[in-house]
Amino acid sequence: MTREDDTYDTEFKAAALHDAVNGLREKHPMSSASVAFYPWQRNLLLALLAVGIVCAYFFPIPTLVAVTLFCTIAYVWTLADRLILFFRGLDGSTIVSISDEDALALTDDSLPPYTILVPAYNEPEVVADLIAAMRALSYPEEKLQVLLLLEEDDDVTIDAANAAGVGDVVTILLVPPADPRTKPKACNYGLHFSTGEIVTIYDAEDHPDPLQLRRVVAAFDRLPDNTACVQAKLAFHNGTQNLLTAWFTADYALWFGFILPGLMRSDSPIPLGGTSNHLRRSVLDEIGSWDPFNVTEDADLGVRIAESGYRTAVLDSTTLEEANSDAINWIRQRSRWYKGYLQTWLVHMRRPVGLWRGLGAVGFFRFTALMAGTPLIACLNMVFWLISLAWILGQPQVIQEEFPAYVYFPALISLLFGNVAVLYMNLIACRETRNSALLIAGLTTPLYWVMMSIAAIKGTYQLIRNPSYWEKTFHGLSGASTPTATETDAASSNSGAAP
């Protein structure tokens, strides 16, 4: 390489890094989470808080009654919407299904160039799994580019990758250190070096269906031209390791098997999963790729896809991941998700009228229910549990004053019907995994909600204190062996949505 080439290479990398960090906020500043709260949003929230404090001081009981009634209505509305999505997803007709025969019938010449981005940080223990998973993919080698995105100062993972011979399967791309240290920033950087017409993300511990890339190509051929993304299902290979992984597995089965297909039928924005979302490169360039300051960049991208007039489809192909088996590690991950959901809601609500026009009335309200309602209701659960505990421990007068009949009975219906409905949905989702070991997880889901509430409170607090901080989730805790291609195929066939 000549000195001129070296200079060009250095300048290109510097430009790629600048764009990875600043591209979205420079080109589409209103879509960037680099500023968590716009001034008018901050002032409005502070004003509402001040009004609430004043009302609670001078009119404590009426204020509590009004707040409780509002929260009860929000609970009932959110639950009803979730049930609608669930029943719409029951028949599985909206999930795109590509048979093995159709996937294998595609000739190598007809397949487009494909890029897989694999961001990893401080994960030396999963490098060997990555090699096995990428080698198992059925796609012509000359058309497949796999970029392992590692931070330049992540010596432990770099050494493990080199020792494992990753270079024989994938290309290691070192990401220069720069804040924010987030997964979307690494993906944005890798996008500048990608050559594929279709781009997807896998985590280093993922084990996708070997035919997944071919299925995606066939799906794009069948779907309308405005389809920007094909989201594969996610499941776990260690779902029966302990009760927490079983809860997590049932949670994913419900989400990817029913809720996302229900969203697909309703023309509502689909919050993408953090992995196995397959995107047209041209659309990524148009809407600004990932937001490096948003800690759930996948959900944010899904909303921007819908807001821009594009669609997302759900594919009946499964990627196996590792479910968090440690409670502290799980809370770290889930609190980041909740924080990112609130980030995404705040970002897109900067232009509520434009968002309404882009998503439509139903899409707008459903976006609010998912992005803001999910974490806030999880926070409120803890409050109402404490109120219930106060009643149990002998403070009925206060509870009676706070819950007059017109509040008490809707709240009671929400409590009884809501819990039964959620348990029912989880049991159906467990059945669809064809794993009877998840039955206990389905019946004990209320214990899982306690952990969700703790994570939501933590994420909401962190949104105020450190909004773009990416709390690292540690992998390789299951001690499970790498799933074989046969096991991955079996998981894919066992995760269908039809009951």
Side-chain angles (χ1 to χ4, degrees):
M1 177 182 291
T2 66
R3 181 175 299 178
E4 290 78 8
D5 291 337
D6 188 55
T7 301
Y8 171 78
D9 187 55
T10 301
E11 291 176 350
F12 178 79
K13 289 180 178 179
L17 180 63
H18 176 85
D19 191 62
V21 175
N22 303 294
L24 184 64
R25 65 177 173 182
E26 289 179 352
K27 299 170 187 173
H28 308 281
M30 292 287 285
S31 298
S32 171
S34 56
V35 176
F37 298 88
Y38 263 35
W40 73 265
Q41 292 176 314
R42 182 191 63 240
N43 295 338
L44 178 60
L45 290 173
L46 289 175
L48 290 174
L49 180 62
V51 170
I53 292 173
V54 171
C55 290
Y57 182 80
F58 289 103
F59 313 102
I61 296 302
T63 300
L64 286 174
V65 170
V67 171
T68 303
L69 180 60
F70 175 80
C71 292
T72 301
I73 293 172
Y75 267 93
V76 173
W77 171 40
T78 304
L79 174 63
D81 185 62
R82 186 60 60 94
L83 284 170
I84 289 171
L85 293 176
F86 174 75
F87 284 114
R88 282 181 175 175
L90 268 175
D91 63 7
S93 61
T94 55
I95 298 178
V96 181
S97 181
I98 306 294
S99 67
D100 292 358
E101 292 75 16
D102 289 343
L104 292 170
L106 296 172
T107 63
D108 289 356
D109 291 340
S110 67
L111 296 173
Y114 221 116
T115 294
I116 298 174
L117 302 177
V118 187
Y121 181 70
N122 195 24
E123 297 181 274
E125 64 280 348
V126 297
V127 170
D129 289 351
L130 167 65
I131 297 174
M134 295 302 100
R135 279 181 173 157
L137 291 173
S138 174
Y139 210 83
E141 184 178 343
E142 65 276 9
K143 291 193 174 183
L144 182 61
Q145 178 193 40
V146 184
L147 297 178
L148 176 58
L149 309 175
L150 302 177
E151 297 283 340
E152 277 188 356
D153 55 0
D154 185 10
D155 294 333
V156 62
T157 310
I158 294 171
D159 292 342
N162 288 325
V166 165
D168 297 336
V169 183
V170 306
T171 300
I172 298 175
L173 180 61
L174 300 182
V175 181
D179 289 331
R181 294 293 190 101
T182 60
K183 173 182 175 181
K185 183 209 72 178
C187 290
N188 284 342
Y189 184 78
L191 198 62
H192 286 79
F193 300 84
S194 66
T195 58
E197 294 178 13
I198 302 175
V199 178
T200 191
I201 298 174
Y202 288 131
D203 289 335
E205 77 279 6
D206 285 355
H207 300 281
D209 161 22
L211 292 177
Q212 188 171 112
L213 305 188
R214 288 178 172 270
R215 296 189 208 274
V216 169
V217 173
F220 272 126
D221 289 341
R222 292 185 185 180
L223 293 166
D225 292 339
N226 68 339
T227 304
C229 176
V230 172
Q231 172 69 64
K233 296 179 182 179
L234 303 180
F236 299 116
H237 61 75
N238 63 323
T240 57
Q241 181 181 349
N242 57 29
L243 187 57
L244 176 57
T245 62
W247 283 332
F248 209 174
T249 301
D251 193 10
Y252 260 37
L254 175 60
W255 181 254
F256 287 98
F258 301 96
I259 303 301
L260 287 191
L263 283 169
M264 185 179 169
R265 286 189 61 181
S266 67
D267 293 330
S268 299
I270 295 181
L272 303 179
T275 176
S276 304
N277 41 67
H278 304 258
L279 302 134
R280 293 188 191 273
R281 171 63 187 272
S282 58
V283 176
L284 274 177
D285 292 337
E286 177 186 338
I287 67 177
S289 65
W290 299 277
D291 183 356
F293 296 93
N294 192 313
V295 296
T296 51
E297 79 296 337
D298 40 16
D300 169 66
L301 185 62
V303 177
R304 274 192 281 131
I305 286 172
E307 194 177 6
S308 301
Y310 293 102
R311 292 179 56 84
T312 296
V314 180
L315 179 68
D316 191 14
S317 173
T318 302
T319 296
L320 294 181
E321 298 188 302
E322 177 193 8
N324 264 316
S325 55
D326 176 79
I328 300 300
N329 199 40
W330 183 93
I331 288 175
R332 289 167 61 92
Q333 182 185 60
R334 187 56 66 104
S335 66
R336 173 170 58 81
W337 292 359
Y338 283 142
K339 179 174 70 171
Y341 270 31
L342 288 172
Q343 269 187 318
T344 300
W345 184 78
L346 287 168
V347 164
H348 292 277
M349 285 298 289
R350 292 168 181 172
R351 296 174 294 183
V353 175
L355 183 65
W356 182 291
R357 291 173 178 168
L359 300 181
V362 174
F364 179 88
F365 285 112
R366 188 158 283 144
F367 160 76
T368 297
L370 285 172
M371 296 292 101
T374 301
L376 292 181
I377 285 177
C379 290
L380 288 172
N381 281 340
M382 186 66 73
V383 176
F384 285 109
W385 291 334
L386 292 175
I387 292 174
S388 300
L389 183 62
W391 181 80
I392 293 172
L393 295 178
Q395 302 294 330
Q397 186 61 36
V398 176
I399 306 302
Q400 288 173 6
E401 291 179 355
E402 184 183 351
F403 287 93
Y406 59 86
V407 174
Y408 174 79
F409 286 104
L412 181 63
I413 292 172
S414 175
L415 173 67
L416 297 177
F417 178 71
N419 279 274
V420 170
V422 174
L423 286 173
Y424 168 76
M425 289 189 290
N426 275 281
L427 288 174
I428 292 295
C430 288
R431 187 186 71 176
E432 290 310 303
T433 65
R434 292 174 172 81
N435 191 338
S436 59
L438 297 182
L439 177 62
I440 295 177
L443 293 173
T444 57
T445 297
L447 297 176
Y448 188 49
W449 299 340
V450 175
M451 295 183 62
M452 288 183 176
S453 187
I454 294 171
I457 293 170
K458 179 174 180 284
T460 303
Y461 171 76
Q462 206 174 72
L463 176 68
I464 300 171
R465 293 299 303 273
N466 201 354
S468 293
Y469 171 62
W470 188 281
E471 198 158 15
K472 170 67 179 169
T473 301
F474 297 99
H475 300 289
L477 303 178
S478 68
S481 59
T482 302
T484 65
T486 301
E487 291 169 333
T488 307
D489 285 336
S492 179
S493 64
N494 288 345
S495 62

